[in-house]
Amino acid sequence: MSADSDQNFEWTIDARANGMRIDQWLDAELADLSRSHLRRLIDEGHVLRNDRQPKPHQKLQAGDH
C-alpha cells in the first residue's frame, strides 16, 4: 500500500486476497471505516479496480491494483 497527501491509497492484490469480494477486502484493510462508508466510496467512483469502477460484489484476482 502507498498513500499520498490527499489520502489516496493504492494496493496490488496478492494471492491471499484472490477471490475475495472487493467490499469485504476493503473492509478488512480499512477497518476504521464503516462498511456503509466503503460502499458509498465504491458507488461514487472513488474506488477503482484496474483503472475502472468496480461493483462492490466483484471478486479480486491476484495482480489487481
Side-chain angles (χ1 to χ4, degrees):
M1 172 181 72
S2 61
D4 65 21
S5 61
D6 293 327
Q7 292 298 312
N8 292 320
F9 298 94
E10 184 174 334
W11 292 272
T12 300
I13 303 303
D14 62 20
R16 293 175 297 180
N18 196 48
M20 284 186 76
R21 287 173 49 129
I22 193 167
D23 57 350
Q24 294 171 341
W25 184 83
L26 285 170
D27 185 45
E29 289 294 313
L30 301 171
D32 56 326
L33 299 178
S34 69
R35 284 191 91 167
S36 62
H37 185 75
L38 290 170
R39 174 69 185 251
R40 192 168 42 256
L41 290 173
I42 294 169
D43 290 343
E44 292 176 356
H46 299 288
V47 173
L48 300 176
R49 176 182 170 232
N50 301 326
D51 300 320
R52 295 186 174 195
Q53 184 177 351
K55 300 289 184 195
H57 65 273
Q58 283 185 326
K59 297 200 178 193
L60 295 168
Q61 295 179 359
D64 283 350
H65 61 91

